[in-house]
Amino acid sequence: MYLLDAFPKDKYRFIFTGEDFGEARDALGSRAHKVEVLSDQTLRDIEGENSRKYDWLLNLWGSHIFKTEQIKKSKRTLNIHPSMLPLGRGRDPVVWSIINGWPAGVTLHEIDDGIDTGAIWHQEEEPYEFPIMGGELYQR
């Protein structure tokens, strides 16, 4: 909500990757911002906006892999990924961290044409000990 409070005159378009975002939808919708669920149609709409350039593409804990055309619509991009990149790229990184004994944590990085290969902005490690379930570590 920081961006909304700090820049109240800006217009935002929020696209969620699932239906279960009720609290966020209500808060954002009450501020008259466009709130949508990610779909093929939403992505086609974004790609079709030829002259439109967004300031940011933020993928906050979503699993969608953006195409180059979609990434180029934004001046800057950031993704939150639940692993200590470059370890754990792609799906199920927490499980792979446990299986391989890798450090666990979260990475804030730029979105680029690769999968979880963009420049890293920030990382935080989450210590864990065996035995631990993947779901528990993911929630932490």
mmCIF file of all heavy atoms in Angstrom, residues 35-73:
data_model
loop_
_atom_site.group_PDB
_atom_site.id
_atom_site.type_symbol
_atom_site.label_atom_id
_atom_site.label_comp_id
_atom_site.label_asym_id
_atom_site.label_seq_id
_atom_site.Cartn_x
_atom_site.Cartn_y
_atom_site.Cartn_z
ATOM 1 N N VAL A 35 -8.365 -3.883 -10.996
ATOM 2 C CA VAL A 35 -7.923 -5.126 -10.374
ATOM 3 C C VAL A 35 -8.465 -6.281 -11.207
ATOM 4 O O VAL A 35 -9.663 -6.364 -11.442
ATOM 5 C CB VAL A 35 -8.423 -5.226 -8.917
ATOM 6 C CG1 VAL A 35 -7.979 -6.525 -8.287
ATOM 7 C CG2 VAL A 35 -7.942 -4.038 -8.101
ATOM 8 N N GLU A 36 -7.560 -7.159 -11.666
ATOM 9 C CA GLU A 36 -7.955 -8.253 -12.551
ATOM 10 C C GLU A 36 -7.277 -9.550 -12.130
ATOM 11 O O GLU A 36 -6.272 -9.536 -11.439
ATOM 12 C CB GLU A 36 -7.517 -7.967 -13.989
ATOM 13 C CG GLU A 36 -7.955 -6.646 -14.545
ATOM 14 C CD GLU A 36 -7.234 -6.327 -15.832
ATOM 15 O OE1 GLU A 36 -7.609 -6.913 -16.861
ATOM 16 O OE2 GLU A 36 -6.292 -5.531 -15.796
ATOM 17 N N VAL A 37 -7.822 -10.650 -12.643
ATOM 18 C CA VAL A 37 -7.189 -11.952 -12.504
ATOM 19 C C VAL A 37 -6.425 -12.216 -13.786
ATOM 20 O O VAL A 37 -6.916 -11.930 -14.885
ATOM 21 C CB VAL A 37 -8.247 -13.053 -12.262
ATOM 22 C CG1 VAL A 37 -7.585 -14.431 -12.246
ATOM 23 C CG2 VAL A 37 -8.987 -12.803 -10.962
ATOM 24 N N LEU A 38 -5.209 -12.746 -13.660
ATOM 25 C CA LEU A 38 -4.395 -13.061 -14.822
ATOM 26 C C LEU A 38 -5.112 -14.086 -15.697
ATOM 27 O O LEU A 38 -5.603 -15.094 -15.223
ATOM 28 C CB LEU A 38 -3.047 -13.639 -14.373
ATOM 29 C CG LEU A 38 -2.068 -13.987 -15.480
ATOM 30 C CD1 LEU A 38 -1.558 -12.726 -16.163
ATOM 31 C CD2 LEU A 38 -0.911 -14.785 -14.932
ATOM 32 N N SER A 39 -5.188 -13.780 -16.977
ATOM 33 C CA SER A 39 -5.803 -14.694 -17.940
ATOM 34 C C SER A 39 -5.126 -14.476 -19.292
ATOM 35 O O SER A 39 -4.401 -13.499 -19.482
ATOM 36 C CB SER A 39 -7.303 -14.418 -18.066
ATOM 37 O OG SER A 39 -7.514 -13.153 -18.677
ATOM 38 N N ASP A 40 -5.399 -15.368 -20.219
ATOM 39 C CA ASP A 40 -4.863 -15.195 -21.570
ATOM 40 C C ASP A 40 -5.353 -13.883 -22.170
ATOM 41 O O ASP A 40 -4.596 -13.179 -22.838
ATOM 42 C CB ASP A 40 -5.267 -16.361 -22.470
ATOM 43 C CG ASP A 40 -4.560 -17.660 -22.102
ATOM 44 O OD1 ASP A 40 -3.501 -17.591 -21.433
ATOM 45 O OD2 ASP A 40 -5.061 -18.730 -22.485
ATOM 46 N N GLN A 41 -6.610 -13.533 -21.900
ATOM 47 C CA GLN A 41 -7.168 -12.292 -22.431
ATOM 48 C C GLN A 41 -6.469 -11.068 -21.836
ATOM 49 O O GLN A 41 -6.155 -10.125 -22.555
ATOM 50 C CB GLN A 41 -8.674 -12.209 -22.173
ATOM 51 C CG GLN A 41 -9.323 -10.976 -22.796
ATOM 52 C CD GLN A 41 -9.143 -10.920 -24.300
ATOM 53 O OE1 GLN A 41 -9.449 -11.892 -24.996
ATOM 54 N NE2 GLN A 41 -8.642 -9.815 -24.821
ATOM 55 N N THR A 42 -6.207 -11.082 -20.544
ATOM 56 C CA THR A 42 -5.500 -9.968 -19.901
ATOM 57 C C THR A 42 -4.127 -9.775 -20.538
ATOM 58 O O THR A 42 -3.718 -8.655 -20.842
ATOM 59 C CB THR A 42 -5.336 -10.228 -18.392
ATOM 60 O OG1 THR A 42 -6.612 -10.446 -17.813
ATOM 61 C CG2 THR A 42 -4.663 -9.064 -17.702
ATOM 62 N N LEU A 43 -3.415 -10.880 -20.757
ATOM 63 C CA LEU A 43 -2.086 -10.793 -21.367
ATOM 64 C C LEU A 43 -2.161 -10.284 -22.798
ATOM 65 O O LEU A 43 -1.325 -9.486 -23.225
ATOM 66 C CB LEU A 43 -1.390 -12.153 -21.308
ATOM 67 C CG LEU A 43 -1.070 -12.637 -19.895
ATOM 68 C CD1 LEU A 43 -0.578 -14.072 -19.920
ATOM 69 C CD2 LEU A 43 -0.067 -11.725 -19.215
ATOM 70 N N ARG A 44 -3.171 -10.727 -23.551
ATOM 71 C CA ARG A 44 -3.346 -10.220 -24.926
ATOM 72 C C ARG A 44 -3.654 -8.726 -24.907
ATOM 73 O O ARG A 44 -3.155 -7.971 -25.742
ATOM 74 C CB ARG A 44 -4.458 -10.983 -25.646
ATOM 75 C CG ARG A 44 -4.040 -12.356 -26.149
ATOM 76 C CD ARG A 44 -5.054 -12.958 -27.107
ATOM 77 N NE ARG A 44 -6.347 -13.159 -26.493
ATOM 78 C CZ ARG A 44 -6.715 -14.258 -25.814
ATOM 79 N NH1 ARG A 44 -5.875 -15.261 -25.677
ATOM 80 N NH2 ARG A 44 -7.926 -14.358 -25.289
ATOM 81 N N ASP A 45 -4.447 -8.286 -23.933
ATOM 82 C CA ASP A 45 -4.766 -6.861 -23.813
ATOM 83 C C ASP A 45 -3.501 -6.047 -23.573
ATOM 84 O O ASP A 45 -3.295 -5.003 -24.191
ATOM 85 C CB ASP A 45 -5.753 -6.617 -22.666
ATOM 86 C CG ASP A 45 -7.144 -7.136 -22.953
ATOM 87 O OD1 ASP A 45 -7.438 -7.481 -24.120
ATOM 88 O OD2 ASP A 45 -7.941 -7.206 -21.996
ATOM 89 N N ILE A 46 -2.656 -6.514 -22.682
ATOM 90 C CA ILE A 46 -1.407 -5.803 -22.381
ATOM 91 C C ILE A 46 -0.514 -5.755 -23.618
ATOM 92 O O ILE A 46 0.023 -4.709 -23.966
ATOM 93 C CB ILE A 46 -0.673 -6.473 -21.201
ATOM 94 C CG1 ILE A 46 -1.473 -6.266 -19.913
ATOM 95 C CG2 ILE A 46 0.746 -5.913 -21.055
ATOM 96 C CD1 ILE A 46 -0.974 -7.079 -18.751
ATOM 97 N N GLU A 47 -0.353 -6.885 -24.302
ATOM 98 C CA GLU A 47 0.481 -6.928 -25.502
ATOM 99 C C GLU A 47 -0.085 -6.031 -26.603
ATOM 100 O O GLU A 47 0.671 -5.457 -27.379
ATOM 101 C CB GLU A 47 0.585 -8.362 -26.018
ATOM 102 C CG GLU A 47 1.442 -9.241 -25.144
ATOM 103 C CD GLU A 47 1.464 -10.685 -25.616
ATOM 104 O OE1 GLU A 47 1.219 -10.932 -26.811
ATOM 105 O OE2 GLU A 47 1.733 -11.557 -24.781
ATOM 106 N N GLY A 48 -1.411 -5.882 -26.646
ATOM 107 C CA GLY A 48 -2.048 -5.087 -27.685
ATOM 108 C C GLY A 48 -1.996 -3.594 -27.445
ATOM 109 O O GLY A 48 -2.304 -2.800 -28.320
ATOM 110 N N GLU A 49 -1.594 -3.176 -26.251
ATOM 111 C CA GLU A 49 -1.505 -1.753 -25.931
ATOM 112 C C GLU A 49 -0.182 -1.221 -26.484
ATOM 113 O O GLU A 49 0.787 -1.028 -25.762
ATOM 114 C CB GLU A 49 -1.586 -1.547 -24.414
ATOM 115 C CG GLU A 49 -2.922 -1.966 -23.833
ATOM 116 C CD GLU A 49 -2.939 -1.944 -22.318
ATOM 117 O OE1 GLU A 49 -1.864 -2.010 -21.686
ATOM 118 O OE2 GLU A 49 -4.042 -1.855 -21.760
ATOM 119 N N ASN A 50 -0.156 -0.978 -27.775
ATOM 120 C CA ASN A 50 1.096 -0.647 -28.466
ATOM 121 C C ASN A 50 1.822 0.568 -27.912
ATOM 122 O O ASN A 50 3.033 0.567 -27.786
ATOM 123 C CB ASN A 50 0.834 -0.461 -29.963
ATOM 124 C CG ASN A 50 0.429 -1.758 -30.618
ATOM 125 O OD1 ASN A 50 0.872 -2.825 -30.222
ATOM 126 N ND2 ASN A 50 -0.436 -1.676 -31.606
ATOM 127 N N SER A 51 1.106 1.603 -27.584
ATOM 128 C CA SER A 51 1.774 2.821 -27.141
ATOM 129 C C SER A 51 1.941 2.885 -25.624
ATOM 130 O O SER A 51 2.609 3.764 -25.115
ATOM 131 C CB SER A 51 0.975 4.045 -27.605
ATOM 132 O OG SER A 51 -0.305 4.035 -27.010
ATOM 133 N N ARG A 52 1.346 1.950 -24.927
ATOM 134 C CA ARG A 52 1.371 1.974 -23.466
ATOM 135 C C ARG A 52 2.674 1.401 -22.933
ATOM 136 O O ARG A 52 3.126 0.369 -23.364
ATOM 137 C CB ARG A 52 0.194 1.156 -22.926
ATOM 138 C CG ARG A 52 0.079 1.127 -21.421
ATOM 139 C CD ARG A 52 -0.502 2.444 -20.941
ATOM 140 N NE ARG A 52 -0.454 2.530 -19.515
ATOM 141 C CZ ARG A 52 -1.523 2.562 -18.742
ATOM 142 N NH1 ARG A 52 -2.719 2.528 -19.258
ATOM 143 N NH2 ARG A 52 -1.395 2.666 -17.452
ATOM 144 N N LYS A 53 3.286 2.101 -21.999
ATOM 145 C CA LYS A 53 4.494 1.620 -21.330
ATOM 146 C C LYS A 53 4.267 1.793 -19.836
ATOM 147 O O LYS A 53 3.959 2.879 -19.374
ATOM 148 C CB LYS A 53 5.704 2.434 -21.793
ATOM 149 C CG LYS A 53 7.017 1.930 -21.286
ATOM 150 C CD LYS A 53 7.627 0.958 -22.252
ATOM 151 C CE LYS A 53 9.074 0.702 -21.879
ATOM 152 N NZ LYS A 53 9.689 -0.300 -22.682
ATOM 153 N N TYR A 54 4.395 0.710 -19.087
ATOM 154 C CA TYR A 54 4.208 0.755 -17.643
ATOM 155 C C TYR A 54 5.520 1.108 -16.966
ATOM 156 O O TYR A 54 6.601 0.818 -17.479
ATOM 157 C CB TYR A 54 3.717 -0.603 -17.135
ATOM 158 C CG TYR A 54 2.351 -0.956 -17.650
ATOM 159 C CD1 TYR A 54 2.189 -1.711 -18.803
ATOM 160 C CD2 TYR A 54 1.218 -0.512 -16.996
ATOM 161 C CE1 TYR A 54 0.927 -2.023 -19.281
ATOM 162 C CE2 TYR A 54 -0.057 -0.828 -17.476
ATOM 163 C CZ TYR A 54 -0.187 -1.578 -18.608
ATOM 164 O OH TYR A 54 -1.430 -1.880 -19.089
ATOM 165 N N ASP A 55 5.431 1.739 -15.803
ATOM 166 C CA ASP A 55 6.634 2.031 -15.033
ATOM 167 C C ASP A 55 7.222 0.751 -14.447
ATOM 168 O O ASP A 55 8.423 0.557 -14.443
ATOM 169 C CB ASP A 55 6.342 3.032 -13.920
ATOM 170 C CG ASP A 55 6.054 4.422 -14.475
ATOM 171 O OD1 ASP A 55 6.725 4.815 -15.439
ATOM 172 O OD2 ASP A 55 5.157 5.093 -13.956
ATOM 173 N N TRP A 56 6.350 -0.117 -13.936
ATOM 174 C CA TRP A 56 6.797 -1.323 -13.250
ATOM 175 C C TRP A 56 5.960 -2.529 -13.623
ATOM 176 O O TRP A 56 4.736 -2.415 -13.779
ATOM 177 C CB TRP A 56 6.687 -1.161 -11.738
ATOM 178 C CG TRP A 56 7.729 -0.288 -11.148
ATOM 179 C CD1 TRP A 56 7.607 1.048 -10.868
ATOM 180 C CD2 TRP A 56 9.038 -0.666 -10.760
ATOM 181 N NE1 TRP A 56 8.774 1.514 -10.330
ATOM 182 C CE2 TRP A 56 9.668 0.470 -10.244
ATOM 183 C CE3 TRP A 56 9.748 -1.856 -10.795
ATOM 184 C CZ2 TRP A 56 10.968 0.464 -9.773
ATOM 185 C CZ3 TRP A 56 11.046 -1.878 -10.312
ATOM 186 C CH2 TRP A 56 11.644 -0.720 -9.809
ATOM 187 N N LEU A 57 6.598 -3.672 -13.696
ATOM 188 C CA LEU A 57 5.950 -4.976 -13.713
ATOM 189 C C LEU A 57 6.450 -5.666 -12.452
ATOM 190 O O LEU A 57 7.637 -5.961 -12.318
ATOM 191 C CB LEU A 57 6.341 -5.781 -14.950
ATOM 192 C CG LEU A 57 5.949 -7.263 -14.944
ATOM 193 C CD1 LEU A 57 4.431 -7.423 -14.843
ATOM 194 C CD2 LEU A 57 6.475 -7.966 -16.174
ATOM 195 N N LEU A 58 5.545 -5.856 -11.500
ATOM 196 C CA LEU A 58 5.892 -6.507 -10.238
ATOM 197 C C LEU A 58 5.201 -7.856 -10.181
ATOM 198 O O LEU A 58 3.972 -7.924 -10.217
ATOM 199 C CB LEU A 58 5.438 -5.653 -9.049
ATOM 200 C CG LEU A 58 5.956 -4.219 -8.993
ATOM 201 C CD1 LEU A 58 5.282 -3.464 -7.864
ATOM 202 C CD2 LEU A 58 7.462 -4.217 -8.834
ATOM 203 N N ASN A 59 5.961 -8.904 -10.087
ATOM 204 C CA ASN A 59 5.413 -10.250 -9.943
ATOM 205 C C ASN A 59 5.653 -10.653 -8.496
ATOM 206 O O ASN A 59 6.745 -11.063 -8.131
ATOM 207 C CB ASN A 59 6.095 -11.211 -10.918
ATOM 208 C CG ASN A 59 5.407 -12.549 -10.961
ATOM 209 O OD1 ASN A 59 4.198 -12.653 -10.843
ATOM 210 N ND2 ASN A 59 6.194 -13.584 -11.127
ATOM 211 N N LEU A 60 4.640 -10.487 -7.675
ATOM 212 C CA LEU A 60 4.786 -10.690 -6.242
ATOM 213 C C LEU A 60 4.260 -12.061 -5.857
ATOM 214 O O LEU A 60 3.083 -12.233 -5.575
ATOM 215 C CB LEU A 60 4.046 -9.579 -5.480
ATOM 216 C CG LEU A 60 4.417 -8.162 -5.929
ATOM 217 C CD1 LEU A 60 3.586 -7.124 -5.192
ATOM 218 C CD2 LEU A 60 5.904 -7.906 -5.748
ATOM 219 N N TRP A 61 5.141 -13.010 -5.877
ATOM 220 C CA TRP A 61 4.853 -14.383 -5.486
ATOM 221 C C TRP A 61 3.920 -15.060 -6.475
ATOM 222 O O TRP A 61 3.138 -15.935 -6.116
ATOM 223 C CB TRP A 61 4.278 -14.448 -4.076
ATOM 224 C CG TRP A 61 4.977 -15.440 -3.225
ATOM 225 C CD1 TRP A 61 4.543 -16.705 -2.965
ATOM 226 C CD2 TRP A 61 6.208 -15.296 -2.538
ATOM 227 N NE1 TRP A 61 5.436 -17.347 -2.159
ATOM 228 C CE2 TRP A 61 6.476 -16.493 -1.872
ATOM 229 C CE3 TRP A 61 7.124 -14.271 -2.433
ATOM 230 C CZ2 TRP A 61 7.608 -16.687 -1.102
ATOM 231 C CZ3 TRP A 61 8.245 -14.460 -1.667
ATOM 232 C CH2 TRP A 61 8.470 -15.662 -1.008
ATOM 233 N N GLY A 62 3.973 -14.685 -7.731
ATOM 234 C CA GLY A 62 3.182 -15.332 -8.766
ATOM 235 C C GLY A 62 4.051 -16.297 -9.555
ATOM 236 O O GLY A 62 5.270 -16.145 -9.620
ATOM 237 N N SER A 63 3.423 -17.266 -10.188
ATOM 238 C CA SER A 63 4.195 -18.287 -10.898
ATOM 239 C C SER A 63 4.192 -18.099 -12.415
ATOM 240 O O SER A 63 4.767 -18.910 -13.131
ATOM 241 C CB SER A 63 3.645 -19.673 -10.560
ATOM 242 O OG SER A 63 2.288 -19.770 -10.952
ATOM 243 N N HIS A 64 3.574 -17.035 -12.894
ATOM 244 C CA HIS A 64 3.494 -16.828 -14.332
ATOM 245 C C HIS A 64 4.870 -16.477 -14.909
ATOM 246 O O HIS A 64 5.615 -15.697 -14.334
ATOM 247 C CB HIS A 64 2.499 -15.710 -14.656
ATOM 248 C CG HIS A 64 2.371 -15.454 -16.116
ATOM 249 N ND1 HIS A 64 1.689 -16.299 -16.952
ATOM 250 C CD2 HIS A 64 2.857 -14.463 -16.894
ATOM 251 C CE1 HIS A 64 1.750 -15.832 -18.183
ATOM 252 N NE2 HIS A 64 2.458 -14.720 -18.174
ATOM 253 N N ILE A 65 5.192 -17.062 -16.060
ATOM 254 C CA ILE A 65 6.424 -16.714 -16.770
ATOM 255 C C ILE A 65 6.043 -15.770 -17.899
ATOM 256 O O ILE A 65 5.303 -16.139 -18.809
ATOM 257 C CB ILE A 65 7.122 -17.977 -17.307
ATOM 258 C CG1 ILE A 65 7.526 -18.868 -16.130
ATOM 259 C CG2 ILE A 65 8.339 -17.591 -18.153
ATOM 260 C CD1 ILE A 65 8.073 -20.216 -16.529
ATOM 261 N N PHE A 66 6.521 -14.543 -17.813
ATOM 262 C CA PHE A 66 6.163 -13.507 -18.773
ATOM 263 C C PHE A 66 6.964 -13.645 -20.058
ATOM 264 O O PHE A 66 8.158 -13.954 -20.034
ATOM 265 C CB PHE A 66 6.378 -12.118 -18.168
ATOM 266 C CG PHE A 66 5.437 -11.828 -17.040
ATOM 267 C CD1 PHE A 66 5.775 -12.127 -15.732
ATOM 268 C CD2 PHE A 66 4.203 -11.267 -17.301
ATOM 269 C CE1 PHE A 66 4.906 -11.875 -14.696
ATOM 270 C CE2 PHE A 66 3.318 -11.012 -16.272
ATOM 271 C CZ PHE A 66 3.669 -11.309 -14.963
ATOM 272 N N LYS A 67 6.305 -13.375 -21.186
ATOM 273 C CA LYS A 67 6.956 -13.373 -22.487
ATOM 274 C C LYS A 67 7.752 -12.079 -22.657
ATOM 275 O O LYS A 67 7.469 -11.072 -22.009
ATOM 276 C CB LYS A 67 5.910 -13.452 -23.600
ATOM 277 C CG LYS A 67 5.106 -14.714 -23.616
ATOM 278 C CD LYS A 67 4.083 -14.626 -24.728
ATOM 279 C CE LYS A 67 3.135 -15.794 -24.729
ATOM 280 N NZ LYS A 67 2.083 -15.633 -25.748
ATOM 281 N N THR A 68 8.703 -12.114 -23.568
ATOM 282 C CA THR A 68 9.538 -10.943 -23.848
ATOM 283 C C THR A 68 8.673 -9.720 -24.175
ATOM 284 O O THR A 68 8.944 -8.624 -23.691
ATOM 285 C CB THR A 68 10.498 -11.243 -25.011
ATOM 286 O OG1 THR A 68 11.306 -12.364 -24.649
ATOM 287 C CG2 THR A 68 11.372 -10.048 -25.334
ATOM 288 N N GLU A 69 7.628 -9.906 -24.990
ATOM 289 C CA GLU A 69 6.756 -8.780 -25.378
ATOM 290 C C GLU A 69 6.085 -8.150 -24.159
ATOM 291 O O GLU A 69 5.867 -6.944 -24.113
ATOM 292 C CB GLU A 69 5.673 -9.240 -26.361
ATOM 293 C CG GLU A 69 6.185 -9.879 -27.633
ATOM 294 C CD GLU A 69 6.540 -11.351 -27.457
ATOM 295 O OE1 GLU A 69 5.849 -12.085 -26.737
ATOM 296 O OE2 GLU A 69 7.545 -11.760 -28.059
ATOM 297 N N GLN A 70 5.737 -8.975 -23.185
ATOM 298 C CA GLN A 70 5.087 -8.467 -21.972
ATOM 299 C C GLN A 70 6.103 -7.744 -21.088
ATOM 300 O O GLN A 70 5.801 -6.694 -20.526
ATOM 301 C CB GLN A 70 4.434 -9.622 -21.218
ATOM 302 C CG GLN A 70 3.336 -10.283 -22.013
ATOM 303 C CD GLN A 70 3.037 -11.695 -21.559
ATOM 304 O OE1 GLN A 70 3.761 -12.285 -20.770
ATOM 305 N NE2 GLN A 70 1.960 -12.257 -22.078
ATOM 306 N N ILE A 71 7.299 -8.284 -20.978
ATOM 307 C CA ILE A 71 8.346 -7.667 -20.169
ATOM 308 C C ILE A 71 8.720 -6.301 -20.737
ATOM 309 O O ILE A 71 8.926 -5.335 -20.000
ATOM 310 C CB ILE A 71 9.577 -8.591 -20.087
ATOM 311 C CG1 ILE A 71 9.216 -9.887 -19.354
ATOM 312 C CG2 ILE A 71 10.743 -7.891 -19.414
ATOM 313 C CD1 ILE A 71 10.266 -10.972 -19.469
ATOM 314 N N LYS A 72 8.796 -6.202 -22.057
ATOM 315 C CA LYS A 72 9.195 -4.949 -22.706
ATOM 316 C C LYS A 72 8.178 -3.833 -22.512
ATOM 317 O O LYS A 72 8.471 -2.677 -22.792
ATOM 318 C CB LYS A 72 9.441 -5.184 -24.191
ATOM 319 C CG LYS A 72 10.712 -5.953 -24.464
ATOM 320 C CD LYS A 72 10.938 -6.123 -25.945
ATOM 321 C CE LYS A 72 12.230 -6.861 -26.219
ATOM 322 N NZ LYS A 72 12.456 -7.062 -27.649
ATOM 323 N N LYS A 73 6.995 -4.142 -22.040
ATOM 324 C CA LYS A 73 5.957 -3.122 -21.786
ATOM 325 C C LYS A 73 6.262 -2.312 -20.536
ATOM 326 O O LYS A 73 5.587 -1.339 -20.253
ATOM 327 C CB LYS A 73 4.583 -3.772 -21.641
ATOM 328 C CG LYS A 73 4.039 -4.354 -22.922
ATOM 329 C CD LYS A 73 3.583 -3.251 -23.818
ATOM 330 C CE LYS A 73 2.971 -3.795 -25.081
ATOM 331 N NZ LYS A 73 2.395 -2.745 -25.875
#
